[in-house]
Amino acid sequence: MKMIIAIVQDEDSQRVIATLMNEGYSVTKLATTGGFLRVGNTTMMIGVDDEKLDGALAIIENVCKSRKQIATSPSPVAGITGMYVPYPIEVTVGGATVFVLNVDQFKKM
Ligand code: 2BA
């Protein structure tokens, strides 16, 4: 058995979860925040039998889109005022960041 931990953008989360559940997967959704942009994203935990792993990954890959976002980052060099000036940078977020872990034991008690 595997545990998929998938971090997706909030915009994609409803569709991913609905599609996974329609296909018989169990999903736990967590409201999370990205460390870099510090905006909300969604982390899903999906426990799957080995033979269903590829199906789940395909759904996540098909649904999740990459998007460009503007982040504000402090300038690496202080200006003449001696203060760090924030400046906008464009980053491409997603589709999905996915970790696949081996599960030692799975029990419902
Ligand atoms: P954030 O940390 O908010 O990152 C959002 C996007 O900002 C990233 O998209 C990436 O394009 C960019 N980015 C992140 N760190 C950066 C840095 N140090 N310098 C320049 N650009 C940077 P994604 O790579 O698609 O990541 C989307 C979200 O997935 C991340 O949101 C974070 O919540 C999670 N994530 C990504 N890689 C991870 C990892 N290795 N471990 C844990 N969470 C991760």
Side-chain angles (χ1 to χ4, degrees):
M1 185 176 206
K2 307 286 186 205
M3 172 62 70
I4 302 171
I5 299 175
I7 304 159
V8 307
Q9 294 172 75
D10 287 344
E11 293 92 321
D12 295 323
S13 64
Q14 294 298 337
R15 228 179 115 216
V16 182
I17 291 167
T19 310
L20 286 167
M21 302 226 34
N22 284 342
E23 296 293 325
Y25 294 95
S26 294
V27 183
T28 295
K29 173 189 168 188
L30 305 167
T32 47
T33 303
F36 187 70
L37 292 179
R38 282 175 242 145
V39 299
N41 53 28
T42 299
T43 298
M44 294 175 298
M45 297 194 302
I46 310 147
V48 293
D49 291 328
D50 288 10
E51 62 271 18
K52 293 189 76 182
L53 173 65
D54 289 345
L57 295 178
I59 290 170
I60 294 166
E61 185 172 17
N62 287 339
V63 173
C64 295
K65 308 293 175 209
S66 67
R67 297 180 182 87
K68 295 197 184 305
Q69 291 199 18
I70 302 296
T72 307
S73 184
S75 165
V77 180
I80 52 171
T81 60
M83 296 175 64
Y84 285 91
V85 184
Y87 67 98
I89 56 167
E90 187 178 75
V91 294
T92 302
V93 186
T97 300
V98 177
F99 302 87
V100 178
L101 288 67
N102 287 316
V103 174
D104 276 349
Q105 291 187 37
F106 171 59
K107 289 182 181 169
K108 291 187 177 176
M109 299 187 226

